[in-house]
Amino acid sequence: MAQRLDGKALAQKIQAQLATDISQRDPNLRPPGLAVVMVGDNPASAAYVRNKERACDRIGITSFGSHLPADTAQETVAELIDQLNNDERVDGILIQLPLPSHLDSVALLNRIAPDKDADGLHPENMGRLMRGEAGLRSCTPAGVMAVLKEYNIDATGQKAVVLGRSILVGKPMALMLLAANATVTMAHSRTEDLPALCRQADILVAAVGRPNMINSDWIKPGATVIDVGINRIEDETSGKARLVGDIDFASVEPIAGAITPVPGGIGPMTVTMLMHNTVLSYRKRFNG
């Protein structure tokens, strides 16, 4: 059976270290601050925001929440971002996605000051990633890389396949694996013969948002399988909802060398890297 890569345990370990670092700061300095902007009443978004606020409380980060009505105008959200950019208490700004359809999410994300871009999605931070320069990194891919490091999975010389090409996960994930000296292939809905391509992967990262899409026929024996997907499905027997990934865990676990579970894999790491980015911005502000 594959080794289970426990993202939840690693997230707790990193958060504990962040909490220690914050507690040991100069007592004359304020704690780090994270501002989360949410527009509308999406239940999943509300749950994510609560998780982030709880993580802030555990670590010692001051949380500044802004919950705006669903019909809030673009100009109003933009003005709020400008205020947060200029707020000396705030080190990180996060816009909870998705936004209501009438809002231009790209314009709003780009309005965040690059050094307060807690999600690592600003073009300047993406450019730094492309150039191999230091900067804030996209949280989910950074969480994947932290898991690989924790379990001593060296990407050097490995064939890596990334399923999905979103700006949130797929594209930055490919760049991070490339920086770790893997040979990277990006695949997507238009890729021909996906199973054959995936069977070549020493490291497979799935971020397509389709429940249990990838089964054992897609997996190279001994491969490291990273499941970024979080899909809510209804159990036919109980009628209750449960979370599954993009990987059919039951069929893949006996074949893979290592695998992340859902839940308890990359999900907790995404929130943790958001906290990490906020603390990184804070340190840069006060330590140069």
Side-chain angles (χ1 to χ4, degrees):
M1 299 293 280
Q3 178 185 21
R4 292 198 185 191
L5 307 178
D6 191 339
K8 184 176 180 180
L10 177 57
Q12 291 170 345
K13 176 181 174 181
I14 294 173
Q15 288 186 24
Q17 184 59 57
L18 290 173
T20 298
D21 292 346
I22 292 170
S23 69
Q24 294 175 348
R25 73 185 186 280
D26 184 331
N28 296 314
L29 297 179
R30 62 164 177 81
L34 173 65
V36 179
V37 178
M38 178 176 164
V39 185
D41 298 300
N42 183 305
S45 292
Y48 290 139
V49 168
R50 284 195 298 272
N51 286 340
K52 290 162 185 172
E53 290 173 343
R54 291 190 192 109
C56 285
D57 289 341
R58 285 195 300 271
I59 293 170
I61 294 174
T62 303
S63 179
F64 300 95
S66 297
H67 186 183
L68 305 176
D71 59 356
T72 302
Q74 179 89 10
E75 295 75 16
T76 303
V77 184
E79 288 172 3
L80 173 60
I81 293 169
D82 290 343
Q83 292 170 16
L84 295 172
N85 283 337
N86 294 315
D87 191 332
E88 286 301 317
R89 302 169 300 167
V90 173
D91 303 289
I93 302 170
L94 166 74
I95 299 176
Q96 183 62 48
L97 301 175
L99 291 172
S101 58
H102 72 280
L103 295 176
D104 183 346
S105 59
V106 173
L108 294 172
L109 289 169
N110 291 353
R111 202 174 185 103
I112 297 172
D115 62 346
K116 292 190 176 185
D117 172 32
D119 243 350
L121 297 177
H122 190 281
E124 185 171 321
N125 287 318
M126 286 290 187
R128 288 172 177 166
L129 172 60
M130 174 72 77
R131 292 173 59 89
E133 298 173 356
L136 299 174
R137 299 296 192 235
S138 183
C139 296
T140 299
V144 171
M145 298 308 295
V147 168
L148 294 178
K149 181 180 179 180
E150 176 71 9
Y151 285 91
N152 297 312
I153 298 171
D154 187 359
T156 300
Q158 300 290 292
K159 292 180 180 178
V161 173
V162 178
L163 291 180
R165 51 180 169 177
S166 73
I167 200 71
L168 285 170
V169 180
K171 290 176 181 176
M173 185 78 258
L175 289 169
M176 290 182 198
L177 285 166
L178 190 63
N181 298 315
T183 299
V184 183
T185 301
M186 290 192 70
H188 45 79
S189 59
R190 303 286 180 90
T191 302
E192 293 186 3
D193 201 352
L194 266 174
L197 178 64
C198 291
R199 280 193 294 272
Q200 300 175 28
D202 301 304
I203 300 172
L204 177 65
V205 181
V208 291
R210 293 179 60 183
N212 298 322
M213 172 182 168
I214 297 143
N215 61 38
S216 58
D217 292 337
W218 297 45
I219 305 301
K220 177 181 180 179
T224 296
V225 179
I226 305 293
D227 195 346
V228 177
I230 299 178
N231 309 285
R232 189 177 298 273
I233 64 171
E234 188 172 296
D235 191 288
E236 294 179 0
T237 305
S238 66
K240 295 181 179 179
R242 60 188 178 94
L243 295 179
V244 300
D246 295 342
I247 305 291
D248 179 11
F249 190 89
S251 72
V252 170
E253 186 183 23
I255 294 171
I259 190 170
T260 58
V262 176
I266 301 304
M269 289 301 300
T270 298
V271 175
T272 297
M273 300 316 290
L274 176 70
M275 304 296 119
H276 174 269
N277 278 347
T278 302
V279 173
L280 197 64
S281 293
Y282 173 80
R283 288 174 181 156
K284 187 175 181 181
R285 182 180 302 271
F286 287 106
N287 300 326

